[in-house]
Amino acid sequence: FTDVDYSSWYAPGVDFVASRGLMRGYEGTTIFGVGSALTRGELATILWRNACPDEAASYDPAVAKDATGIAGSADGMFYTAAANWAVEKGVITGIERPGGALDFAADEPVTFEQLATILGRLGAAPGELGAAGGDLSAFVDGADASEWAAPYLKWAADKGLIEGYDEPAGKRLAPGERAARERAATVLMRAFDKGVLK
């Protein structure tokens, strides 16, 4: 990838996800997308490629039909089969909009708290989330986490998937921050290293 600094902190993560065929960069280019936010459709696709490699290898978006039953996903997209899988498995349930309707929001950026939640739904062992609790006071901004995400963020921190930013006041979690592609790659690499993903 021409936009990757291979001497940087994120290079091992990029190498890892690329070597497994989970993240391939932007089609028709030589760039990984460093600094760009990972979308929800892209994250679903990464996790689906890992879970369903044979289906992913023969996937033809042109004939793919959306079967999620919720808004925010569409026929014929690179992520269509992945969205179907993610919703069926309960890995991605959709963002609840005003009025209660769910939205897969495939083109919206993934936040760190969404990333932790999705990985927890997919990879947490029975009882782990309950054991983790939701105390994020080790982070200076832990109170900023959404209530629904706190147990998943605590679980992800306990597992070593997320560490927060080192700042003079302490560790900053930044739960609502958009997950840049290279940061997501690093979290995914750790998830494999820790046995959360296989």
Side-chain angles (χ1 to χ4, degrees):
F1 299 112
T2 53
D3 63 334
V4 171
D5 175 358
Y6 285 96
S7 65
S8 71
W9 61 268
Y10 62 76
V14 171
D15 276 340
F16 180 88
V17 295
S19 70
R20 292 184 73 107
L22 302 179
M23 295 179 74
R24 301 170 182 162
Y26 291 127
E27 191 170 351
T29 76
T30 60
I31 66 172
F32 180 78
V34 173
S36 297
L38 188 74
T39 68
R40 291 167 57 84
E42 288 169 347
L43 178 58
T45 301
I46 291 163
L47 298 175
W48 168 72
R49 283 174 180 161
N50 184 62
C52 309
D54 293 340
E55 186 182 348
S58 60
Y59 179 57
D60 180 3
V63 299
K65 297 296 181 185
D66 173 51
T68 60
I70 60 176
S73 182
D75 297 343
M77 305 300 291
F78 73 88
Y79 62 74
T80 303
N84 293 341
W85 168 83
V87 171
E88 180 188 351
K89 295 293 185 186
V91 175
I92 298 178
T93 56
I95 297 170
E96 188 172 336
R97 300 301 190 189
L102 293 175
D103 186 352
F104 191 84
D107 297 325
E108 289 190 17
V110 174
T111 63
F112 273 108
E113 63 181 10
Q114 289 173 1
L115 177 61
T117 299
I118 290 165
L119 289 176
R121 287 176 181 156
L122 185 60
E128 279 189 339
L129 287 167
D135 181 5
L136 297 170
S137 59
F139 299 96
V140 295
D141 60 345
D144 294 345
S146 299
E147 185 177 350
W148 52 263
Y152 294 98
L153 287 163
K154 180 64 164 56
W155 166 82
D158 288 350
K159 282 286 188 183
L161 306 186
I162 58 175
E163 298 172 354
Y165 297 101
D166 284 316
E167 297 191 348
K171 291 275 191 181
R172 183 169 64 88
L173 188 58
E177 182 175 285
R178 296 175 173 187
R181 288 169 60 86
E182 69 276 15
R183 289 192 178 279
T186 301
V187 172
L188 289 165
M189 177 182 67
R190 291 173 182 160
F192 282 98
D193 286 347
K194 306 293 185 182
V196 170
L197 294 177
K198 295 178 175 63

